[in-house]
Amino acid sequence: FGDILKAKIQNVKDLESQSLQSAYDIATGESTDIESAMLDATKASTAIEMTVQIIRSTCSSVLFTCG
């Protein structure tokens, strides 16, 4: 489980990095593709929210089982 979680967290980091790069490209004028930048931001945000929920759920299950 730990290896899978690490891989998924790395995926979230990659999505966040892509989102930041897209926003930077828009801000500096290197890109005018606002739709793609918005999509990248939405993907990153959704991935972060899902990861937090999975971690909370897993921790709650472990605490409930061990408590």
Side-chain angles (χ1 to χ4, degrees), residues 1-56:
F1 176 77
D3 291 338
I4 294 170
L5 184 59
K6 286 179 186 177
K8 295 302 179 184
I9 289 173
Q10 183 59 50
N11 186 25
V12 171
K13 288 181 179 180
D14 293 344
L15 288 170
E16 184 178 21
S17 178
Q18 178 61 43
S19 173
L20 292 172
Q21 184 63 50
S22 294
Y24 179 81
D25 290 346
I26 293 291
T28 59
E30 287 189 44
S31 175
T32 58
D33 190 0
I34 295 173
E35 292 84 5
S36 289
M38 294 293 289
L39 183 58
D40 288 343
T42 301
K43 285 180 186 178
S45 177
T46 302
I48 291 167
E49 289 176 26
M50 288 178 62
T51 301
V52 168
Q53 290 301 320
I54 289 168
I55 291 170
R56 283 184 183 161

